[in-house]
Amino acid sequence: MSTLNVTVAGVEQVTPLVKHFTLVRDDGSLFPAFSGGSHIVVAMNINGRIHRNPYSLMGSPEETGAYHISVRRQEKSRGGSVHMHDRVRVGSRLQITYPVNLFALEKRAKKHVLIAGGIGITPFMSQIEDLNRTGGDYELHYAFRSPEHGAFRADLQARCGNRARFYVESEGAMLNLQELLGKQPLGTHTYVCGPHAMVVAMIETARELGWPEGHIHSEQFSAPPSGDAFRLKLSKSDIEIVVPSELSMLEAIEAAGVDAPYLCRGGACGRCELEVLNADGPIVHNDHYLTDAEKAAGKKIMPCVSRAKCNLLEVNL
Ligand code: FES
């Protein structure tokens, strides 16, 4: 995948757990334009190993002098967010991919209902820019744990006015999805980004209420879980490698110098799908892309987030 070299031009602590990074191009030129909901993948070298994490672009898609991302510190993850928080500072240089949009606003929608939980607010920041610029009808519903965890609340209040509603869990404010989705006019599209339980609840509620499948949009990037090491045979490349516990299958394949496709690196888009040729143990599916039947069949794997409890897994790559 082609990449851009960038320098960190600003770092701002937004909440106790969230930092906002401003990135500019090393050569001073403008970034490619993007649309609201796009993400980039940031490559970082952690103890000699390359980790790549996806982050939503938050700034205005019209302003291409800088890209903006926010990172929530995840102590229990494999170290990418901790690296961004503890090691990356103004002047640090990073490599990023070109933007990809897997969470685009539907242009034909009569209205947009945006539902965010926690750090899941980030893709909506650029979508709101698009909607304000084009005069789109929308509502933002943003839930978070406690007042200090409401990243960008004041900014959103200023930009969205009475289109924004905030739900602070510690103050007992709960988002009632049934009520919210039940009262929307025909032609509305709804979008959710946040914790797994919230994404599932929104999708299930919309389905129960009879929303057309094409009007329900979600984005959820899983961090690749660590797990037991296993041997991986790449049949076309004719090599065998070890996937160590702290790397994803995809990262191990890349570290071996083999090109593998990806877009989201979070188990959502399906781009990295590989055919399983042989497995002497179960596959641990961690993606949101394959159906339950496909997962049970064990013929496909998403190497960006999934692993195997095998001695040897063979895939068609
Ligand atoms: S890269 Fe999107 S599912 Fe793996």
Side-chain angles (χ1 to χ4, degrees), residues 3 57 90 95 108 121 163-164 182 207-208 218 244 257 280 312:
T3 53
L57 287 176
V90 172
Q95 264 196 345
R108 288 164 302 179
I121 190 62
R163 294 173 184 277
R207 284 180 181 155
E208 278 163 22
S218 63
D280 61 6
L312 181 66

Side-chain angles (χ1 to χ4, degrees), residues 231-245:
R231 283 164 38 233
L232 175 66
K233 182 163 184 200
L234 308 178
S235 59
K236 280 192 207 147
S237 313
D238 195 24
I239 58 169
E240 196 179 300
I241 61 176
V242 171
V243 180
S245 61

Side-chain angles (χ1 to χ4, degrees), residues 226-294:
S226 47
D228 294 338
F230 59 97
R231 283 164 38 233
L232 175 66
K233 182 163 184 200
L234 308 178
S235 59
K236 280 192 207 147
S237 313
D238 195 24
I239 58 169
E240 196 179 300
I241 61 176
V242 171
V243 180
S245 61
E246 69 281 12
L247 286 191
S248 70
M249 254 179 86
L250 180 58
E251 287 164 339
I253 291 169
E254 290 169 338
V258 176
D259 248 353
Y262 69 85
L263 286 179
C264 72
R265 302 182 79 92
C269 72
R271 182 75 178 91
C272 66
E273 179 182 307
L274 293 177
E275 182 190 358
V276 173
L277 299 177
N278 279 301
D280 61 6
I283 292 168
V284 184
H285 293 287
N286 296 311
D287 64 275
H288 315 293
Y289 181 78
L290 294 175
T291 63
D292 289 346
E294 286 173 319

Side-chain angles (χ1 to χ4, degrees), residues 107-278:
K107 290 198 170 54
R108 288 164 302 179
K110 293 224 165 45
K111 181 180 174 187
H112 307 267
V113 174
L114 317 177
I115 301 172
I119 192 66
I121 190 62
T122 54
F124 296 120
M125 305 288 288
S126 55
Q127 288 188 343
I128 286 165
E129 287 283 335
D130 274 347
L131 288 163
N132 281 347
R133 196 180 61 254
T134 57
D137 187 9
Y138 73 93
E139 291 173 15
L140 171 70
H141 298 267
Y142 177 20
F144 43 89
R145 273 199 282 159
S146 55
E148 71 271 26
H149 290 293
F152 307 109
R153 177 178 182 162
D155 180 34
L156 287 162
Q157 186 81 70
R159 287 203 276 148
C160 306
N162 60 11
R163 294 173 184 277
R165 299 263 189 290
F166 301 96
Y167 305 83
V168 188
E169 198 184 315
S170 65
E171 295 170 357
M174 298 299 283
L175 172 56
N176 184 331
L177 289 169
Q178 194 83 23
E179 196 184 310
L180 173 66
L181 297 178
K183 68 179 182 194
Q184 298 303 327
L186 273 182
T188 303
H189 282 238
T190 183
Y191 309 78
V192 63
C193 183
H196 181 65
M198 176 190 238
V199 173
V200 170
M202 182 284 232
I203 294 172
E204 283 177 358
T205 305
R207 284 180 181 155
E208 278 163 22
L209 290 168
W211 282 58
E213 211 52 45
H215 289 213
I216 307 169
H217 310 267
S218 63
E219 181 159 84
Q220 197 188 1
F221 293 154
S222 303
S226 47
D228 294 338
F230 59 97
R231 283 164 38 233
L232 175 66
K233 182 163 184 200
L234 308 178
S235 59
K236 280 192 207 147
S237 313
D238 195 24
I239 58 169
E240 196 179 300
I241 61 176
V242 171
V243 180
S245 61
E246 69 281 12
L247 286 191
S248 70
M249 254 179 86
L250 180 58
E251 287 164 339
I253 291 169
E254 290 169 338
V258 176
D259 248 353
Y262 69 85
L263 286 179
C264 72
R265 302 182 79 92
C269 72
R271 182 75 178 91
C272 66
E273 179 182 307
L274 293 177
E275 182 190 358
V276 173
L277 299 177
N278 279 301

